[in-house]
Amino acid sequence: MTMVNLTINGKQIQAPQGATILEAARGAGIHIPTLCYHPELRPEGACRLCMVEASGARTLVASCVYPVSEGMVVNTNTNKVREARKTVVELLLANHPKDCLSCQKSGDCELQKIAADLGVRKIRFDGGERKAHTIDCSNPSLVRDQEKCILCGRCIRVCRDVQGMSVYSFARRGFDTIVAPAFESDLKDAVCTYCGQCASVCPTGAIVEKDDTEKVWAAINDPSKVVLVQTAPAVRVALGEELGIPAGSIVTGKMVAALRRLGFDKVFDTNFSADLTIMEEGHEFLHRLQNGGVLPMITSCSPGWVNMIELKYPELLPHLSTAKSPQQMFGAVAKTYYAEQAGIDPANIVCVSVMPCTAKKAEAEREEMCASGYRDVDVVITTRELGRMIREAGLDFAHLPEEAYDSPLGAGTGAAVIFGTTGGVMEAALRTVAEVVLGEELANVDYHDVRGMEQTREAVIKVGEVEVKIAVVHTLASARKMLERIKDGTADYHFIEVMACPGGCIGGGGQPVPVNSEIRRMRREALFECDRASELRKSHENPEIKQLYDTWLGKPLGEKAHSLLHTHYSAQKR
Amino acid sequence: MSLTERKCSCCGCDNPEKVQVDAILAKFEGKKGSLIPILQEVQSLYNYLPKDVLEYVAEQTRIPISEIYGVVTFYSLFHLNPRGRNIVRVCQGTACHVRGGKLILQTLEKELGIKAGHTTDDLRFTLETVACIGACGLAPVMQINDDTHGRLTPDKLPAILQRYE
């Protein structure tokens, strides 16, 4: 790599040729504030907050897009730069609501932080024309408030470049410019999968998850209701970030304790139903493999992904596993099996789930998700919302004791916990499928070929005499490429795992912000740590799952399992 | 109804409009950066850009519909709604402003029963404002199609409008 020498703030540094001033500065530990810049998106140079003085340039330059050159002298901290930055923020604030105190993004807002960092005390341009827009709360997952939009374009870029959906674009021009889906429709009428990556990268409160915490408080405070909660695998390794605990910390026990103190009657684990998913999906795969079923079979636990295939590739729906996602299996089992066992009228059960995902909110509202005779899952909150509830209740999270999940829907194996990362569902399925096929215990349950962060990975796994060709895909842009390959017949896999979000659920649209590849890596490591620390690491060894099949459900893919745990898909027209 | 669902009324074949749109698309097939010329030609076909036709263009060119919408709303030459047979452009530039251009606009809005930027239900007139047409000596001024009408007063307007069918 060719390096160039430059001076930033009097400090001699080297940076790779082609690097931007911003990258060079950050590499040397020099902070330049940014807003439209995001480390994982193509820089756009839209907000001008990162302006610096660079030798050879006539004006201040946007450091996020300006390349370094040999002998360049850069100053990031002169009066001229500071004044210009402040002016940029003042101009943004002149056309921005001043309701920070009651904004859902308060505390996590990058604009708020920058205004504070730069010491903006008065806005010289206040009182000018203000944009007025209606709020889009048309769908179960995301809320868009255009008045809070600063036109940084991060949502446009993540949706187009990472997710390949291009729901948003800049529309109109000048002061009227807005970010909008085609024809300025609501998200419910756009080809939106509700994956929430736009909310995850939005620096302000312009795109946020739909807040359902009031529904949860109402259920908890209703004495006639029995309120159950399930927690998705990826929540336990990210929730800490909401509560001042470093990224990558495993907070399972404290989370369970916190949920009890919030007032939930029973604290259960989605890991239980992830194991159940593996039982059904694994057997479905074997059935397809041995009976000439539609292959490749593709996983169906990521609702953003399911929305995408229903919206864009309905002709490929027969490839999707009919197994419901762990969230929905949990709901169906809780309001039938558990209700029976505990002697509770399912009408009085409120099923709450804590998910790393905004699309899960929409999944729970799907019409067909009422196998129990009731809404299987009543309320879905994201990791961020649970963090807010814990803060609202004033719990001292860091000092809570470690508590265990309730039974009989609270046991989960190591196979279940890795559902939260890309490759995890595949690895969990292989552990069970291999033992079912071989009829004997596996010596080693770690499938390292399946792990990794490349957006598309493939491997050939020997299961007994059979060579199973598998692929693992994450992000919707990569998923589309895979679907195109299935269409043109060049994807000769048996089994494919797809997760909508980068890194899988650890990078889900409902997870704490900010998120980047390093934070995702730490969350992922934590999940593998949970797996390693588990006594049981194969779904079919879960004693509560065994009991469920033995005493109530019968066989995997059996009649009862079929009606409760499997579903169907249909093309979505919008 | 989408463009592909519309059928020709005489024989049930693909509708002739679709055939024409397909011809435009074929002309630019494989050429990058063709969106604006495609939209221009499609607009000259319909006089505006119908939603279903834009969706068809998006599908065929594989350009996201959101992006196409962004381009269409960026340039004032593109129109998302049907245009009138006669385009009335009322000048609101500085010279016209000081000589009562606003009153001319208000009178036209009243006469036509529409606001600036809109089209009459019978598609006879579309009313627009412009910042200057370079005829300040005739202020206040308006253009209807290619005709320029100057030294306007509100009472002259009905007779002028009557000349355009």
Side-chain angles (χ1 to χ4, degrees):
Chain A
M1 197 188 309
T2 320
M3 303 295 280
V4 299
N5 299 292
L6 70 157
T7 309
I8 303 184
N9 298 351
K11 189 173 165 186
Q12 302 273 337
I13 64 162
Q14 283 200 322
Q17 192 160 29
T20 62
I21 295 176
L22 180 69
E23 286 161 349
R26 289 202 171 165
I30 295 165
H31 179 71
I32 300 173
T34 54
L35 264 178
C36 72
Y37 174 82
H38 190 280
E40 293 174 6
L41 301 173
R42 200 182 68 190
E44 200 152 271
C47 75
R48 318 309 288 179
L49 195 72
C50 67
M51 288 187 297
V52 296
E53 277 183 52
S55 60
R58 200 168 40 84
T59 57
L60 296 179
V61 299
S63 62
C64 71
V65 288
Y66 204 86
V68 294
S69 59
E70 185 62 37
M72 182 183 257
V73 179
V74 175
N75 282 299
T76 72
N77 205 12
T78 61
N79 255 343
K80 190 176 170 189
V81 169
R82 278 201 312 276
E83 283 306 315
R85 261 180 214 151
K86 235 178 186 166
T87 304
V88 166
V89 175
E90 282 180 85
L91 284 165
L92 285 171
L93 292 177
N95 188 23
H96 193 90
K98 312 288 183 295
D99 60 355
C100 289
L101 286 177
S102 54
C103 176
Q104 190 168 319
K105 202 62 180 278
S106 186
D108 287 327
C109 174
E110 294 179 39
L111 181 63
Q112 188 184 48
K113 180 173 187 309
I114 277 166
D117 284 353
L118 298 187
V120 175
R121 290 290 171 266
K122 69 172 205 290
I123 299 156
R124 283 171 287 165
F125 316 107
D126 221 4
E129 193 180 347
R130 283 276 306 277
K131 283 192 280 189
H133 297 287
T134 49
I135 292 174
D136 174 6
C137 50
S138 60
N139 65 87
S141 297
L142 298 164
V143 178
R144 291 183 70 227
D145 184 351
Q146 292 268 11
E147 292 188 17
K148 293 176 181 167
C149 175
I150 57 167
L151 303 175
C152 70
R154 283 188 192 175
C155 54
I156 297 176
R157 285 175 279 159
V158 79
C159 190
R160 180 190 62 204
D161 300 339
V162 178
Q163 298 299 57
M165 295 306 291
S166 294
V167 167
Y168 302 114
S169 174
F170 286 116
R172 309 193 222 157
R173 69 192 299 176
F175 187 73
D176 293 328
T177 305
I178 51 166
V179 170
F183 306 102
E184 296 171 37
S185 70
D186 286 340
L187 285 181
K188 79 165 175 9
D189 300 316
V191 285
C192 175
T193 65
Y194 306 139
C195 75
Q197 286 302 310
C198 54
S200 184
V201 297
C202 180
T204 70
I207 311 178
V208 292
E209 70 280 4
K210 190 166 194 181
D211 189 306
D212 288 312
T213 55
E214 281 306 324
K215 287 187 200 161
V216 179
W217 287 122
I220 288 174
N221 286 312
D222 182 342
S224 68
K225 298 291 181 196
V226 178
V227 188
L228 316 180
V229 64
Q230 56 166 320
T231 60
V235 175
R236 68 204 65 200
V237 294
L239 177 66
E241 294 164 44
E242 282 287 321
L243 302 155
I245 292 173
S249 306
I250 301 166
V251 297
T252 320
K254 291 185 190 302
M255 174 178 71
V256 171
L259 289 165
R260 287 215 177 91
R261 281 152 185 75
L262 290 179
F264 288 101
D265 295 302
K266 290 286 172 188
V267 182
F268 291 135
D269 198 354
T270 313
N271 281 8
F272 164 83
S273 48
D275 281 329
L276 187 55
T277 299
I278 286 300
M279 294 302 286
E280 293 297 323
E281 196 164 340
H283 282 89
E284 181 190 359
F285 173 63
L286 281 175
H287 184 80
R288 288 191 189 211
L289 196 64
Q290 291 159 353
N291 296 283
V294 177
L295 293 174
M297 186 179 92
I298 317 180
T299 59
S300 61
C301 35
S302 166
W305 147 243
V306 171
N307 284 336
M308 192 273 259
I309 187 169
E310 286 187 330
L311 283 165
K312 289 283 187 181
Y313 296 86
E315 68 277 19
L316 298 179
L317 286 173
H319 289 275
L320 274 188
S321 162
T322 61
K324 282 182 189 171
S325 70
Q327 162 174 283
Q328 294 306 135
M329 283 200 183
F330 180 93
V333 169
K335 292 200 179 178
T336 53
Y337 169 72
Y338 174 72
E340 252 175 69
Q341 284 223 326
I344 307 168
D345 180 355
N348 292 329
I349 293 182
V350 177
C351 239
V352 175
S353 46
V354 186
M355 293 283 142
C357 182
T358 46
K360 285 282 172 197
K361 290 175 183 273
E363 182 186 55
E365 288 195 13
R366 287 175 71 112
E367 216 180 291
E368 67 275 15
M369 292 298 177
C370 52
S372 58
Y374 303 88
R375 194 102 298 263
D376 293 337
V377 173
D378 297 283
V379 191
V380 180
I381 57 170
T382 59
T383 314
R384 291 195 289 268
E385 289 163 89
L386 177 57
R388 287 203 291 274
M389 288 184 74
I390 292 172
R391 291 198 296 269
E392 188 176 347
L395 299 181
D396 181 4
F397 191 77
H399 295 103
L400 286 176
E402 310 256 334
E403 292 184 8
Y405 284 104
D406 289 307
S407 193
L409 312 177
T413 67
V417 81
I418 56 173
F419 260 61
T421 173
T422 169
V425 177
M426 180 61 74
E427 183 162 347
L430 288 172
R431 290 179 190 176
T432 287
V433 167
E435 288 204 357
V436 170
V437 169
L438 296 171
E440 58 184 67
E441 208 170 315
L442 285 176
N444 177 19
V445 296
D446 292 332
Y447 287 85
H448 288 282
D449 293 346
V450 180
R451 300 183 184 176
M453 282 303 253
E454 299 79 20
Q455 290 193 352
T456 303
R457 310 188 290 282
E458 50 179 88
V460 178
I461 309 279
K462 229 172 143 115
V463 178
E465 293 305 301
V466 193
E467 288 199 329
V468 180
K469 200 170 172 197
I470 59 112
V472 173
V473 180
H474 59 125
T475 74
L476 289 176
S478 298
R480 284 187 84 155
K481 283 183 203 145
M482 181 57 79
L483 291 180
E484 289 294 337
R485 286 177 58 201
I486 293 176
K487 267 173 84 172
D488 65 25
T490 57
D492 60 339
Y493 305 103
H494 298 107
F495 193 4
I496 304 174
E497 178 206 289
V498 177
M499 292 291 152
C501 291
C505 311
I506 47 166
Q511 291 281 53
V513 290
V515 68
N516 54 45
S517 53
E518 179 56 16
I519 291 173
R520 280 194 291 263
R521 190 192 60 74
M522 290 192 279
R523 292 176 186 166
R524 170 190 168 76
E525 280 309 311
L527 282 183
F528 281 120
E529 179 54 39
C530 291
D531 174 29
R532 276 192 299 273
S534 299
E535 230 168 274
L536 300 173
R537 299 182 63 195
K538 287 165 282 189
S539 296
H540 55 281
E541 292 177 345
N542 182 330
E544 291 182 352
I545 292 288
K546 282 187 192 165
Q547 194 188 355
L548 171 68
Y549 278 106
D550 289 348
T551 64
W552 194 76
L553 203 50
K555 276 183 161 12
L557 307 183
E559 202 180 314
K560 212 168 193 174
H562 184 81
S563 68
L564 278 181
L565 308 180
H566 289 259
T567 185
H568 58 274
Y569 311 96
S570 38
Q572 290 187 35
K573 284 227 162 191
R574 290 195 201 160
Chain B
M1 203 179 344
S2 78
L3 182 66
T4 43
E5 284 161 351
R6 285 195 223 159
K7 288 287 174 196
C8 147
S9 54
C10 53
C11 60
C13 66
D14 269 358
N15 68 71
E17 288 167 353
K18 181 177 170 294
V19 174
Q20 282 173 284
V21 174
D22 282 336
I24 295 167
L25 291 169
K27 205 159 82 182
F28 293 100
E29 206 186 328
K31 284 187 204 155
K32 278 213 157 199
S34 303
L35 179 59
I36 287 174
I38 289 173
L39 292 175
Q40 283 174 309
E41 294 206 16
V42 170
Q43 181 162 284
S44 68
L45 206 61
Y46 293 89
N47 209 17
Y48 76 109
L49 292 165
K51 188 178 172 195
D52 62 334
V53 178
L54 288 178
E55 280 163 350
Y56 183 71
V57 170
E59 208 180 288
Q60 297 298 309
T61 57
R62 295 182 153 238
I63 298 169
I65 184 69
S66 59
E67 231 171 281
I68 293 182
Y69 181 79
V71 170
V72 167
T73 54
F74 185 86
Y75 294 104
S76 55
L77 80 106
F78 292 126
H79 307 285
L80 285 164
N81 292 306
R83 305 261 290 157
R85 294 187 295 280
N86 303 292
I87 313 294
V88 183
R89 296 186 184 86
V90 197
C91 186
Q92 301 290 289
T94 313
C96 290
H97 176 76
V98 296
R99 293 184 64 94
K102 190 154 210 170
L103 187 60
I104 300 298
L105 176 63
Q106 283 166 351
T107 311
L108 283 166
E109 285 180 339
K110 226 169 104 191
E111 281 291 320
L112 298 173
I114 51 170
K115 287 280 170 200
H118 289 81
T119 299
T120 56
D121 286 340
D122 59 4
L123 297 186
R124 190 171 161 200
F125 289 106
T126 291
L127 181 61
E128 291 175 350
T129 60
V130 287
C132 183
I133 60 172
C136 305
L138 301 177
V141 65
M142 72 172 174
Q143 261 188 325
I144 301 185
N145 306 332
D146 292 331
D147 309 332
T148 305
H149 302 273
R151 305 225 163 82
L152 294 171
T153 54
D155 56 314
K156 287 183 185 167
L157 296 172
I160 298 173
L161 290 175
Q162 266 197 354
R163 287 190 243 153
Y164 296 88
E165 264 315 307

